Amino acid sequence: MDSGNWTHVEEFIFLGFSLPPAQQFLMFTFVLAAYVLTITGDLIIIVLVRVDITLHTPMYYFVSNLCFLGITYTSTTLPRMLRDLLAETKSICVLCCFIQFYFFFVFGAIEHLLLTVMAADRYMAICNPLRYSAVMSQDVCSRLAIGCWVSCGLALMIPTIGLFQISFCGPNKINHFFCDFTPLLKLACSDTALTEVVFHVLSWSVIILCVALIAVSYFFIISTILKIPSTSGRKKAFSTCAAHFMVVLIYFSTITFIYLRTNTNDSYYLDKVASVFYCAVTPLLNPIIYGFRNKEVKEALKRTLEKCKNAFSDFLIWRKNVS
């Protein structure tokens, strides 16, 4: 395209889902419910891990990090999606779009690394139980969590800076409900080859490396569990990593479907449906699988509620005595 005919794009418009009003409202209700339940569930687990001493373990430390990540991850896309489902014009400024892109993929990459670290934690707990407390100390856990956040934050700056070098000159309608990578580059008027290579190398490297490390961890975990002589011992060992394995399976299968396959124009609608799943449904499963189906978390919740009840009763007695 002749550079003299370029028009500077100041905003993008999301095409989102072309649905009748009734289905649009139904999707709004579903997304809103998923968002509220995700935030509520994650906050409850974070508070429980903080206040209940029985949950002061490496596993629940990483679970609380995962829950905090669930709050930030969903908040990059769902509030905007909810607004756009009710709005006639679904516009976003170029800078806001790039910021959304950056944080969406940063939080997604952090979740990859956290799930990998949690697999290593389960490996140490089951395969090296005698060294577990020494190796997975509080300091080590903090360093691993900080390393996940910092490394992903720095790595995703590279493709984001690449976006700022790309010219957007005319068409400004993104065939998605958020600033995803491929739909965004479809609007570019300049060469995007380098940015695409960098992004896909990062995507492939992170996903494949994490999947490989998790697979190796579970190979040794399962091998060790099968050597346990008692059935009850094997069942208990499996239960300690079942939640993590379920989340890994759901999360990586969805992400792989989107980002590690060849994208075609006729797959956009399917991509958007899958994106709703990993933006809204998968984060909702985390507090359910890790928290409210977990015996230790349910017991911690009962103890905390009992303490709150007693504190409230003491407060009422104090108010009665004062008055």
Side-chain angles (χ1 to χ4, degrees), residues 34 37-38 42 45 66-67 74 111 243 246-247 249-251 254 277-278 280-293:
L37 290 174
T38 299
D42 285 335
I45 292 177
L66 198 65
C67 288
T74 54
E111 185 158 2
M246 288 175 62
V247 172
L249 189 63
I250 294 170
Y251 183 77
T254 310
F277 185 84
Y278 72 73
V281 179
T282 304
L284 176 60
L285 296 177
N286 286 344
I288 295 174
I289 294 174
Y290 275 118
F292 304 116
R293 292 186 70 256

Side-chain angles (χ1 to χ4, degrees), residues 97-169:
C97 184
F98 292 167
I99 292 173
Q100 185 189 55
F101 165 87
Y102 173 75
F103 283 107
F104 177 79
F105 284 101
V106 164
F107 295 144
I110 294 170
E111 185 158 2
H112 284 69
L113 296 189
L114 274 178
L115 289 173
T116 306
V117 169
M118 292 172 74
D121 172 73
R122 292 299 83 204
Y123 164 79
M124 288 300 304
I126 294 173
C127 300
N128 295 282
L130 297 179
R131 299 181 56 202
Y132 179 68
S133 298
V135 173
M136 299 301 293
S137 64
Q138 184 176 356
D139 183 60
V140 170
C141 292
S142 298
R143 289 175 182 271
L144 287 171
I146 293 172
C148 291
W149 286 81
V150 172
S151 60
C152 292
L154 294 176
L156 264 298
M157 283 185 180
I158 301 173
T160 305
I161 292 173
L163 287 178
F164 282 95
Q165 310 304 315
I166 296 173
S167 298
F168 295 92
C169 58

Side-chain angles (χ1 to χ4, degrees), residues 45 68 73 77-78 92 95 165 175 188 203 229 255 303 307 313:
I45 292 177
F68 178 75
Y73 180 72
T77 56
L78 296 192
I92 183 172
L95 178 60
Q165 310 304 315
N175 193 5
S203 300
I255 293 295
R303 286 192 296 268
K307 290 179 181 178
S313 298

Side-chain angles (χ1 to χ4, degrees), residues 11-297:
E11 66 177 15
F12 295 113
I13 298 175
F14 295 124
L15 296 181
F17 292 91
S18 300
L19 299 172
Q23 295 181 21
Q24 197 97 333
F25 179 76
L26 186 63
M27 175 169 281
F28 174 86
T29 304
F30 167 76
V31 174
L32 178 62
Y35 183 57
V36 171
L37 290 174
T38 299
I39 299 298
T40 304
D42 285 335
L43 285 175
I44 289 174
I45 292 177
I46 291 171
V47 171
L48 287 177
V49 172
R50 293 285 296 177
V51 303
D52 195 287
I53 194 171
T54 63
L55 300 182
H56 291 180
T57 63
M59 182 180 75
Y60 287 110
Y61 173 78
F62 292 124
V63 167
S64 64
N65 269 265
L66 198 65
C67 288
F68 178 75
L69 185 63
I71 295 173
T72 56
Y73 180 72
T74 54
S75 296
T76 59
T77 56
L78 296 192
R80 162 68 64 168
M81 182 182 180
L82 289 169
R83 170 194 173 276
D84 289 344
L85 283 170
L86 299 180
E88 292 186 7
T89 304
K90 305 173 177 61
S91 61
I92 183 172
C93 70
V94 173
L95 178 60
C96 297
C97 184
F98 292 167
I99 292 173
Q100 185 189 55
F101 165 87
Y102 173 75
F103 283 107
F104 177 79
F105 284 101
V106 164
F107 295 144
I110 294 170
E111 185 158 2
H112 284 69
L113 296 189
L114 274 178
L115 289 173
T116 306
V117 169
M118 292 172 74
D121 172 73
R122 292 299 83 204
Y123 164 79
M124 288 300 304
I126 294 173
C127 300
N128 295 282
L130 297 179
R131 299 181 56 202
Y132 179 68
S133 298
V135 173
M136 299 301 293
S137 64
Q138 184 176 356
D139 183 60
V140 170
C141 292
S142 298
R143 289 175 182 271
L144 287 171
I146 293 172
C148 291
W149 286 81
V150 172
S151 60
C152 292
L154 294 176
L156 264 298
M157 283 185 180
I158 301 173
T160 305
I161 292 173
L163 287 178
F164 282 95
Q165 310 304 315
I166 296 173
S167 298
F168 295 92
C169 58
N172 65 338
K173 295 182 179 179
I174 300 176
N175 193 5
H176 217 307
F177 61 86
F178 72 98
C179 292
D180 201 359
F181 183 72
T182 301
L184 187 59
L185 289 197
K186 291 291 182 181
L187 307 180
C189 299
S190 58
D191 183 37
T192 63
L194 180 59
T195 303
E196 289 186 70
V197 168
V198 170
F199 178 80
H200 288 300
V201 167
L202 282 174
S203 300
W204 279 85
S205 299
V206 171
I207 295 176
I208 293 177
L209 179 62
C210 291
V211 170
L213 291 174
I214 291 172
V216 171
S217 298
Y218 271 98
F219 172 79
F220 288 107
I221 288 171
I222 294 172
S223 298
T224 301
I225 291 175
L226 293 177
K227 294 177 183 178
I228 298 175
S230 66
T231 304
S232 60
R234 289 196 297 271
K235 184 178 179 181
K236 182 178 179 181
F238 271 121
S239 67
T240 63
C241 55
H244 176 264
F245 183 76
M246 288 175 62
V247 172
V248 166
L249 189 63
I250 294 170
Y251 183 77
F252 278 98
S253 60
T254 310
I255 293 295
T256 302
F257 173 79
I258 295 291
Y259 295 108
L260 295 192
R261 66 181 179 87
T262 303
N263 286 285
T264 57
N265 291 331
D266 58 357
S267 69
Y268 274 147
Y269 187 81
L270 189 59
D271 285 351
K272 285 187 278 190
V273 173
S275 297
V276 172
F277 185 84
Y278 72 73
C279 287
V281 179
T282 304
L284 176 60
L285 296 177
N286 286 344
I288 295 174
I289 294 174
Y290 275 118
F292 304 116
R293 292 186 70 256
N294 187 293
K295 182 179 178 181
E296 292 177 325
V297 173

